[in-house]
Amino acid sequence: MRSFRRHPLLVPALLCALALSAAQPTEAAGEGSDASAGAQVARLYADAAVATRQYDEGRHEAEAQRAEARRLEGLLEQERREIAVLREDLGRIARAQYRTGGGLPMAVRMVLADSPEELMRGQHVVWQARLALGNAVSRSRRAESRLAADEARAASARQTLEKRNAQLAELKKDIEQKLEQARGQLQGEADAAVAAGACRGAVRLDQPETGFSSDWVAPVETYQLSAGFGSGGSRWANRHTGQDFAVPIGTPVRAAGEGRVVRVSCGGPFGIETVVEHPGGYYTQYAHLASVAVDQGERVSVGQWIGLSGTTGNSTGPHLHFEVRVTRETGSALDPKPWLAERGVRLGPG
């Protein structure tokens, strides 16, 4: 079941090519950059924050163009109906003139008239008929001219919309390729570190401005909950000791609260992991990472990026394993969902 905030990080991934193509066209993985894959993936997500705004503006503009196209189409249909009515009026006037002798020359009508009064009445009728016909023709021409102009406007709006959609599709394809490449390299470096049993050192990330007003946050911003606390499975000796967050490789992982890093490890069933000690005697663990962004002994603030998610160790796929403990080591885990809820952080449904 989806969380109420299902992976908008992949949506910014559609979008952040605006920043990538303009600012860093040669820094994708495998293009000779000195930066690690972890830093590249983190930069992709950081750039996405800026590009998302540009994409949203473009999306709103596209929606406005779509609404304008619908409005113009409605006006065009109304004008087509009015032109049809005008043409019917022209036909009716022409038929009426034919029936009343409107097409006869003036000399013939003078010969046929029984009296001057009848001749004057006939002339007045003919004059009114010609005036009505002239007005009808003029209205019809003006309406047809407006119709042609509005049809041109509608066609231009459609073309603009199609062009923007094509550009967004191209941006989506480009950023997905770059993310896939960088994530693959990031996970490859992480697997090599775990196999060697030695961490590669902290990959420092450009921290976003957070300004959290609360003391606690969820360990990832967007997610889908997967295996929960206490659930069974063949991959665990007893029961699952944490809460899993299904997220793509390279998703920034945040410190749930302020504290001090007391463990950074790169081997064993948890793969690359870090443990943070918080005031009050609680510990949080972040496991199966692709890289860490902090060193042991370092102090961290609430919401600070402390690593990037991955699928190292005893893992079936990309996710973050998050634990809450009362000791530094395993064996004292608490259910993270109610623990976070008591601190004002309610996780979305799994």
Side-chain angles (χ1 to χ4, degrees), residues 224-306:
Q224 180 180 7
L225 295 181
S226 49
F229 180 82
S231 59
S234 60
R235 302 185 69 84
W236 307 304
N238 295 301
R239 291 287 178 175
H240 194 228
T241 55
Q243 175 63 59
D244 286 351
F245 296 78
V247 289
I249 293 172
T251 300
V253 174
R254 311 185 295 190
E258 68 172 359
R260 183 173 63 91
V261 178
V262 295
R263 178 180 175 85
V264 175
S265 174
C266 296
F270 288 118
I272 299 176
E273 63 163 322
T274 185
V275 177
V276 177
E277 180 183 11
H278 303 281
Y282 292 102
Y283 298 80
T284 55
Q285 179 203 31
Y286 312 80
H288 306 307
L289 302 176
S291 69
V292 292
V294 290
D295 289 318
Q296 190 163 312
E298 184 176 336
R299 296 206 62 82
V300 295
S301 59
V302 57
Q304 179 179 334
W305 287 359
I306 59 175

Side-chain angles (χ1 to χ4, degrees), residues 145-337:
S145 178
R146 287 196 306 271
L147 176 61
D150 288 343
E151 284 178 336
R153 289 173 57 202
S156 176
R158 285 193 297 270
Q159 291 172 359
T160 300
L161 182 58
E162 291 171 359
K163 181 178 179 181
R164 175 169 295 280
N165 288 341
Q167 291 173 339
L168 291 176
E170 188 62 28
L171 294 180
K172 175 181 182 297
K173 180 180 178 181
D174 180 62
I175 191 59
E176 284 179 341
Q177 290 175 344
K178 291 183 177 181
L179 273 173
E180 187 66 23
Q181 185 181 29
R183 285 171 176 155
Q185 182 178 344
L186 173 63
Q187 186 60 42
E189 293 177 357
D191 291 338
V194 171
C199 293
R200 293 176 289 112
V203 177
R204 298 299 174 177
L205 306 176
D206 293 331
Q207 297 291 328
E209 293 185 7
T210 54
F212 291 112
S213 58
S214 58
D215 294 331
W216 299 92
V217 295
V220 285
E221 183 177 359
T222 58
Y223 52 83
Q224 180 180 7
L225 295 181
S226 49
F229 180 82
S231 59
S234 60
R235 302 185 69 84
W236 307 304
N238 295 301
R239 291 287 178 175
H240 194 228
T241 55
Q243 175 63 59
D244 286 351
F245 296 78
V247 289
I249 293 172
T251 300
V253 174
R254 311 185 295 190
E258 68 172 359
R260 183 173 63 91
V261 178
V262 295
R263 178 180 175 85
V264 175
S265 174
C266 296
F270 288 118
I272 299 176
E273 63 163 322
T274 185
V275 177
V276 177
E277 180 183 11
H278 303 281
Y282 292 102
Y283 298 80
T284 55
Q285 179 203 31
Y286 312 80
H288 306 307
L289 302 176
S291 69
V292 292
V294 290
D295 289 318
Q296 190 163 312
E298 184 176 336
R299 296 206 62 82
V300 295
S301 59
V302 57
Q304 179 179 334
W305 287 359
I306 59 175
L308 299 176
S309 66
T311 181
T312 54
N314 186 13
S315 172
T316 58
H319 73 284
L320 169 70
H321 175 85
F322 176 74
E323 280 193 22
V324 177
R325 304 172 182 164
V326 295
T327 66
R328 181 181 305 186
E329 306 301 330
T330 59
S332 60
L334 306 173
D335 189 342
K337 287 188 73 173

